[in-house]
Amino acid sequence: RSLFEKLHLPHGKKGKTGVYSTSIDELNRLREYHPAIDKIIEYRALAKLDSTYALGLQDKIGEDGRIRTTFTQAMTNTGRLSSTEPNLQNIPVRSSDGGRIRECFIAPEGKVLVDADYSQIELRLLAAMSRDEVMTDAFIKGDDIHKRTAMKVFGTDMENVTPKQRAMAKTVNFSIIYGISEYGLSNDLQISFGEAKQLIEDYGKQFPGITGYLESLKAEGEKLGYVETLFGRRRELPELRSQNRNLKNFGYRVAMNTPIQGTAADIIKIAMNRVYRALKNELPGAKLVMQVHDELIVECDEKDGPAAQDILKREMEDAMELSVPLVADVHTGKNWLEAK
């Protein structure tokens, strides 16, 4: 209320309670109008960290000092594992304050955590499944994929790509998988609707294999009523029979995303089985203790850290043979932040 009545900032729509919304989208819209907005956003982020993680996780610590989560196989539509009571898959990592929560997860005395993370697995799958020559070639050569995209979309040489152009290309790369609209991209990049529309069109011209593949997924989903991962796991799409435009558009986005994200989920489960068996045979003292979507964490004796790294990298990268290489980045540390 103070924002709109005392500071007279431009308000948006009223929520269900009859007061003007102060959602994160609204606050982001208001940032340019008053310096207090950034402080409110920062406060909310810290309050969330405090209540959900700093305080919330304390109640879940067992007598032996460990926190145990429950993994569920059939909770998500894409096939990813979900983690509940507590959810350990949403421990923040992008902000420095969020990273401090990961720092609290510490290996026992004499042990280390070995963390392996698939590098850009969804983009690699997009390149392989679409057979787009430009993106496939970039991954085979080991190019910086976001720089390569920026070079193609903005029509410049690799060495002349600016950090801003690379950041924009990165957003477009990941947004394309989720079937983002011109409106959504303009919001994400803080550019005009027309610029976002042009960016998506230019991307389509430079990566015709990708846009053609995504369109084929939409058509296939509409024709069959479902889409599948590379391993044949199916997701039904009743939304594509809906007369509601928003619901149908959601169905189209799901049709484009599920084969990619779902195949990534299948691959990590294959990798988990491979890692479990390899550790049992080669490093029986080591244990696979955590999975966070594209990331696996092993706890082992300090002396076994290098061997555990080798096993994780080998088993994850060999989980499936594609036209582009799967790459796992592996690090070791005494705590989760250090190992990440």
Side-chain angles (χ1 to χ4, degrees):
R1 183 174 290 179
S2 296
L3 294 178
F4 307 116
E5 292 181 5
K6 288 186 179 178
L7 297 179
H8 304 293
L9 300 182
H11 55 73
K13 294 178 181 177
K14 286 187 176 181
K16 291 177 183 175
T17 56
V19 296
Y20 294 117
S21 170
T22 55
S23 68
I24 188 63
D25 287 341
E26 281 298 306
L27 290 177
N28 279 330
R29 187 180 62 80
L30 294 169
R31 289 176 93 151
E32 62 183 289
Y33 294 102
H34 201 282
I37 303 298
D38 280 335
K39 296 293 183 187
I40 294 170
I41 292 172
E42 184 183 0
Y43 171 79
R44 280 200 189 168
L46 291 172
K48 168 78 173 172
L49 287 174
D50 184 42
S51 61
T52 304
Y53 305 111
L55 295 176
L57 289 174
Q58 282 184 35
D59 298 337
K60 307 293 184 182
I61 301 173
E63 288 183 9
D64 59 356
R66 289 184 180 269
I67 293 177
R68 291 171 174 82
T69 186
T70 298
F71 285 108
T72 309
Q73 287 231 53
M75 195 71 78
T76 67
N77 288 319
T78 56
R80 282 181 157 188
L81 291 182
S82 63
S83 160
T84 55
E85 294 183 8
N87 183 353
L88 293 182
Q89 291 183 325
N90 69 346
I91 306 296
V93 69
R94 286 188 173 86
S95 70
S96 57
D97 289 316
R100 289 168 66 189
I101 304 295
R102 288 198 169 207
E103 203 172 2
C104 297
F105 289 83
I106 300 166
E109 192 65 36
K111 305 268 188 183
V112 288
L113 298 177
V114 184
D115 185 306
D117 195 353
Y118 274 124
S119 170
Q120 301 170 331
I121 187 170
E122 290 185 7
L123 283 179
R124 289 173 187 274
L125 283 170
L126 179 60
M129 293 164 76
S130 69
R131 298 188 176 91
D132 183 88
E133 292 179 6
V134 178
M135 192 167 279
T136 297
D137 183 62
F139 278 123
I140 289 171
K141 287 180 176 172
D143 288 348
D144 178 328
I145 192 64
H146 303 309
K147 260 193 170 184
R148 180 78 173 259
T149 300
M151 181 185 83
K152 299 294 287 183
V153 171
F154 296 112
T156 184
D157 296 328
M158 187 77 92
E159 58 270 20
N160 292 325
V161 171
T162 66
K164 183 181 178 182
Q165 286 175 329
R166 185 188 181 277
M168 288 176 76
K170 182 177 180 179
T171 300
V172 176
N173 268 333
F174 288 115
S175 298
I176 288 292
I177 299 173
Y178 295 96
I180 199 164
S181 65
E182 291 92 342
Y183 174 77
L185 189 62
S186 69
N187 268 350
D188 288 350
L189 291 177
Q190 296 294 296
I191 58 177
S192 72
F193 181 87
E195 287 173 311
K197 188 171 186 290
Q198 189 62 52
L199 205 50
I200 291 173
E201 283 179 11
D202 290 343
Y203 187 96
K205 288 173 188 170
Q206 296 303 325
F207 300 98
I210 288 173
T211 49
Y213 170 67
L214 295 175
E215 286 301 318
S216 75
L217 289 177
K218 286 160 64 175
E220 189 176 298
E222 203 157 26
K223 179 184 172 186
L224 301 176
Y226 62 84
V227 287
E228 290 182 330
T229 69
L230 275 182
F231 295 90
R233 192 161 47 77
R234 186 177 294 185
R235 179 171 177 179
E236 303 290 334
L237 291 172
E239 297 90 350
L240 292 182
R241 293 193 297 272
S242 173
Q243 298 302 308
N244 181 306
R245 190 166 61 106
N246 287 337
L247 201 56
K248 194 163 188 174
N249 283 337
F250 170 76
Y252 283 137
R253 289 195 295 275
V254 169
M256 289 187 280
N257 177 246
T258 296
I260 299 159
Q261 195 177 89
T263 299
D266 294 342
I267 289 173
I268 195 73
K269 288 178 184 176
I270 291 167
M272 287 173 74
N273 279 287
R274 292 176 61 105
V275 168
Y276 170 77
R277 285 193 292 267
L279 290 176
K280 199 172 179 182
N281 292 331
E282 301 171 45
L283 215 59
K287 294 284 183 289
L288 182 59
V289 293
M290 188 63 195
Q291 188 256 45
V292 185
H293 306 313
D294 305 330
E295 175 185 359
L296 297 181
I297 302 166
V298 165
E299 182 185 292
C300 65
D301 291 338
E302 286 182 4
K303 65 178 175 55
D304 293 332
Q309 277 195 317
D310 291 344
I311 288 170
L312 273 167
K313 189 168 181 66
R314 180 190 76 213
E315 298 302 328
M316 287 176 73
E317 292 184 348
D318 292 348
M320 184 183 186
E321 192 171 333
L322 294 162
S323 58
V324 300
L326 286 175
V327 174
D329 297 322
V330 195
H331 301 96
T332 300
K334 284 297 291 178
N335 63 63
W336 193 359
L337 181 66
E338 193 180 294
K340 181 73 175 144

